[in-house]
Amino acid sequence: MTIKKVGIIGAGKVGIVLADLALRAGYEVRISGSGSVGKIALIIKTLVPGAIASENSDVVANSDIILLAIPLSRYKNIDPALLRGKLVIDAMNYWWETDGIREEVLAPGLTSSEQVQAYFKDSALVKAFNHMGYHNLQEEAQPAGSPKRKALFVTGDDRTAVAEVAHFVDTMGFDQIVHYDLADGIMTEPGSPLFGASLKYDDLKDIIDHFDQTEFGKKIAASEK
Amino acid sequence: MVNVDKLEFGIETFGDIVANEDGSLQSAAESIRQIIHEGEIADKYGIDVIGVGEHHRPDYSVSSPETVLAAIASVTKNIKLATAVTVLSSDDPVRVYERFATLDGLSNGRAQVMLGRGSFTESFPLFGYELTDYDDLFNEKLGLYDELRKEKAVTWSGKFRASLTDQEVYPKTEHGELETYIGIGGSPESIIRAVRFGYKVIIAIIGGQADRFKPYIELYHEAAKQLNKPEFPIAVHSHGFIADDKDAAIEVAFKNIKENFDRIGLTRGWAPMSREQFDSETKVGSFYVGDPETVAQRMARTINLLDLGRFDLVYGAGNQTAAQRERMIELYATKVIPRVKEILTEKEAAK
Ligand SMILES: NC(=O)c1ccc[n+]([C@@H]2O[C@H](COP(=O)([O-])OP(=O)(O)OC[C@H]3O[C@@H](n4cnc5c(N)ncnc54)[C@H](OP(=O)(O)O)[C@@H]3O)[C@@H](O)[C@H]2O)c1
């Protein structure tokens, strides 16, 4: 599939940056918040002129790829049927300041993206854009080949979907380290040395490849036993 | 266009614990007394505002900023006394009004309220609030505060606080209104909210380049026009450190800002600050670090770029010594501020 139209659910800090990057990459962009178009129209017009302010259902209906950029504690406000059959990027993290107590948002023992995938069970979910801070995403996007280019971790269970997202990430201005296991999303969850970090390909790959040797990796391994 | 004559300069502290020369840490009580002394220095040198943060954590000494500001009020003459910020979401707006109206009386009208959602969340469980009500709490309490600020009898009801019927709240201020800012981070929603209430805005730029806020400021002005609300010059607050020698300043700042950032990161799960990140923040980002000339150049650039009316430098991050903190305030007041004004005057003349 060629991706031409990008839909972003969530018109907050990350959603707006992703919209900006997608516009710069030449995509047609739709974006929605939790409420009416009126609530975000001026924000979109001023911050990301060219993006179409809309509502969730219209965004989904008219996009080839959907980015979830809403607080993790809110994903269940979206009807899974709405995203059926869609290619979906999960940019969400558990963040206690907005999401509250972890146990109330996530079941123990499963990574956040696995739970999001289980909920949107008829969508192909790929985790990406979650581990870099929003202003780094905005300021550090670079064309392929640039020596300053940073890398993002991309992972999911569906190989075709992962490949499509990896290509999409490339067009958005980042190198990719690709895995084919959604559970590996743990490597970039809060607590990981990659969460909030902004690294070039080699440095990111090095930590991913030796994840079990990081403090966080050891902790995760110990809790799995 | 920047109005250089009206430009305001502030310093802000979060009440970080002060270090002794031998590296040991002072008590919270000593650190609080140090802030009073710094307020005095800032006033002596003509800095316009001092802001004191509210935190409920072991690494910061101040949980009741108005009390600290009241002490500063008694040893200063002109400097405005602000909070940076008052975490309104977990406070009682009636109490907030009362405390600031009292401070305003004590200080001859120098109190300045800065309301925010805060970037820490300890106050929520501490005062019995749910983090998941984060947005609703702030919206509702801001609504009540706005009523109280009119200094007339208030009739109000909401979800999080007992209702009020035709209730007067005291003391009334001498000028009839508390000067009020809303402190915001990177959320566009917050800009619109501040406009809707018609309050002044102070933006916390604590990561990345100031340039990315240009559209946000445009959004502020656009929204004000559309909603027919007053437009004020925007204020910005960012972290900094100034010393006589540039390299020394960078090393002190790196050690302290990194320690501070990493300690907070530990509880939130973000990665430690790398040297590369720090260097990029000091070169083109949100840290104003160096000798007076370097800091002045970077501040002038930001003020000009964003067309600001006020710039507050956050000082004392991490565990700095009293001597480092005091010297920084002195350099800021006597070297940086005049130099920033000079650069901006030249720029305006060239336009
Ligand atoms: N901040 C970062 O640096 C960063 C980086 C990478 C990933 N992330 C992740 O990205 C997500 C968003 O973070 P953020 O910082 O952008 O948060 P934010 O600024 O609070 O924005 C969240 C946005 O989601 C919208 N929203 C909530 N429920 C919705 C729904 N059911 N349908 C459509 N929109 C909805 C909100 O709209 P309303 O205001 O109308 O509710 C708001 O526009 C989080 O999961 C976060 O962990 C953040």
Side-chain angles (χ1 to χ4, degrees):
Chain A
M1 181 179 66
T2 26
I3 296 165
K4 288 210 176 85
K5 299 194 266 184
V6 173
I8 297 163
I9 297 188
K13 297 182 283 288
V14 173
I16 296 216
V17 166
L18 292 171
D20 183 31
L21 295 180
L23 284 172
R24 283 197 251 159
Y27 295 106
E28 181 177 316
V29 179
R30 285 182 175 71
I31 182 164
S32 53
S34 66
S36 64
V37 178
K39 238 182 100 186
I40 59 167
L42 181 65
I43 293 174
I44 300 306
K45 195 179 117 204
T46 317
L47 300 186
V48 276
I52 301 163
S54 192
E55 284 167 25
N56 291 356
S57 53
D58 172 68
V59 165
V60 174
N62 290 297
S63 302
D64 306 320
I65 190 166
I66 310 297
L67 288 98
L68 289 176
I70 67 177
L72 189 61
S73 50
R74 303 276 195 268
Y75 74 88
K76 288 190 178 163
N77 292 346
I78 297 173
D79 183 355
L82 185 68
L83 296 183
R84 184 178 295 146
K86 286 283 176 180
L87 175 57
V88 178
I89 296 182
D90 177 10
M92 301 183 291
N93 295 299
Y94 165 71
W95 188 241
W96 68 285
E97 317 214 327
T98 29
D99 297 329
I101 299 161
R102 186 179 172 110
E103 287 68 32
E104 289 175 6
V105 185
L106 292 171
L110 272 189
T111 67
S112 74
S113 289
E114 286 174 288
Q115 300 189 38
V116 176
Q117 171 74 82
Y119 178 76
F120 296 110
K121 65 180 179 25
D122 299 319
S123 314
L125 196 87
V126 179
K127 191 180 188 77
F129 295 108
N130 69 299
H131 64 85
M132 195 185 283
Y134 72 103
H135 61 83
N136 293 108
L137 284 170
Q138 180 171 25
E139 289 167 4
E140 303 191 305
Q142 291 281 337
S146 158
K148 287 199 289 195
R149 207 176 206 221
K150 298 292 173 73
L152 294 176
F153 184 56
V154 177
T155 193
D157 293 335
D158 180 327
R159 285 188 164 258
T160 321
V162 171
E164 278 173 339
V165 170
H167 176 69
F168 176 70
V169 167
D170 194 45
T171 64
M172 293 280 274
F174 299 91
D175 287 336
Q176 320 94 48
I177 307 285
V178 173
H179 275 203
Y180 298 99
D181 186 352
L182 199 54
D184 283 352
I186 190 69
M187 296 184 185
T188 57
E189 282 199 14
S192 156
L194 295 176
F195 183 71
S198 161
L199 301 171
K200 291 187 184 153
Y201 182 89
D202 289 343
D203 299 329
L204 181 63
K205 183 160 174 17
D206 189 52
I207 296 180
I208 294 278
D209 287 351
H210 304 101
F211 182 72
D212 52 352
Q213 289 160 36
T214 64
E215 282 306 311
F216 185 65
K218 287 181 198 157
K219 220 170 75 190
I220 299 295
S223 70
E224 275 166 0
K225 279 190 190 126
Chain B
M1 211 169 89
V2 176
N3 187 335
V4 181
D5 295 331
K6 288 222 173 115
L7 206 51
E8 289 182 295
F9 293 90
I11 51 167
E12 293 180 17
T13 174
F14 293 166
D16 304 75
I17 301 293
V18 178
N20 293 307
E21 292 296 335
D22 65 5
S24 63
L25 296 185
Q26 294 190 359
S27 65
E30 287 170 301
S31 302
I32 292 171
R33 292 193 288 270
Q34 174 64 23
I35 299 174
I36 312 306
H37 183 51
E38 288 161 355
E40 230 181 322
I41 298 175
D43 187 54
K44 185 177 94 190
Y45 286 120
I47 291 175
D48 298 304
V49 195
I50 181 165
V52 179
E54 169 196 330
H55 295 87
H56 308 265
R57 305 166 47 94
D59 38 1
Y60 296 110
S61 63
V62 181
S63 58
S64 307
E66 300 86 352
T67 313
V68 176
L69 293 170
I72 298 177
S74 68
V75 294
T76 55
K77 288 216 158 52
N78 300 311
I79 196 163
K80 285 192 190 173
L81 309 161
T83 45
V85 298
T86 292
V87 187
L88 184 65
S89 317
S90 54
D91 213 324
D92 176 3
V94 175
R95 279 293 196 185
V96 171
Y97 172 82
E98 291 182 346
R99 297 195 310 258
F100 276 96
T102 304
L103 177 64
D104 203 60
L106 282 171
S107 65
N108 279 308
R110 290 186 279 141
Q112 194 177 76
V113 190
M114 280 203 230
L115 302 173
R117 302 196 290 184
S119 55
F120 291 94
T121 50
E122 287 81 9
S123 64
F124 285 74
L126 182 60
F127 298 112
Y129 294 104
E130 300 284 341
L131 264 175
T132 35
D133 293 327
Y134 190 78
D135 263 328
D136 295 345
L137 279 166
F138 191 71
N139 283 327
E140 174 172 315
K141 295 194 176 197
L142 190 56
L144 174 54
Y145 174 82
D146 192 51
E147 289 303 315
L148 294 161
R149 185 171 175 253
K150 296 177 183 136
E151 305 193 12
K152 301 256 156 51
V154 170
T155 298
W156 178 93
S157 69
K159 226 164 70 184
F160 299 107
R161 189 202 186 284
S163 52
L164 301 172
T165 310
D166 218 5
Q167 181 69 52
E168 293 281 356
V169 180
Y170 306 102
K172 307 295 177 190
T173 67
E174 284 170 334
H175 301 99
E177 189 176 81
L178 285 167
E179 184 177 18
T180 305
Y181 277 81
I182 295 191
I184 69 172
S187 159
E189 270 291 319
S190 306
I191 298 243
I192 307 277
R193 176 169 34 223
V195 169
R196 222 181 298 121
F197 282 93
Y199 289 0
K200 296 179 178 173
V201 168
I202 180 157
I203 304 179
I205 304 187
I206 51 175
Q209 301 172 12
D211 307 54
R212 74 189 165 91
F213 282 91
K214 224 177 140 64
Y216 283 81
I217 290 169
E218 218 171 286
L219 177 64
Y220 168 81
H221 292 294
E222 278 304 311
K225 287 195 183 76
Q226 211 173 80
L227 299 172
N228 211 3
K229 294 286 183 184
E231 286 174 58
F232 301 100
I234 298 284
V236 155
H237 107 168
S238 287
H239 282 275
F241 181 69
I242 313 161
D244 295 275
D245 178 69
K246 185 174 176 187
D247 294 335
I250 290 174
E251 287 325 305
V252 172
F254 178 61
K255 176 177 170 288
N256 283 287
I257 295 180
K258 177 177 164 56
E259 255 169 37
N260 180 257
F261 184 98
D262 291 356
R263 196 173 44 224
I264 297 164
L266 215 54
T267 60
R268 304 183 182 196
W270 73 47
M273 177 180 281
S274 67
R275 183 71 202 218
E276 186 206 342
Q277 217 177 335
F278 173 82
D279 286 342
S280 125
E281 288 291 353
T282 53
K283 282 196 189 96
V284 292
S286 64
F287 299 165
Y288 296 78
V289 172
D291 55 18
E293 178 64 21
T294 308
V295 172
Q297 289 291 351
R298 296 212 51 239
M299 276 176 56
R301 179 185 179 274
T302 299
I303 293 168
N304 183 55
L305 177 78
L306 300 181
D307 199 7
L308 302 179
R310 165 173 169 185
F311 192 105
D312 282 13
L313 200 60
V314 183
Y315 75 98
N319 303 114
Q320 301 178 20
T321 64
Q324 286 167 338
R325 295 165 60 114
E326 291 173 22
R327 181 67 183 152
M328 155 152 179
I329 296 170
E330 201 180 313
L331 290 172
Y332 181 61
T334 60
K335 299 237 162 92
V336 175
I337 295 173
R339 181 71 182 122
V340 170
K341 288 185 178 164
E342 192 176 88
I343 299 167
L344 290 170
T345 308
E346 282 165 18
K347 272 210 176 95
E348 292 304 331
K351 269 182 189 168

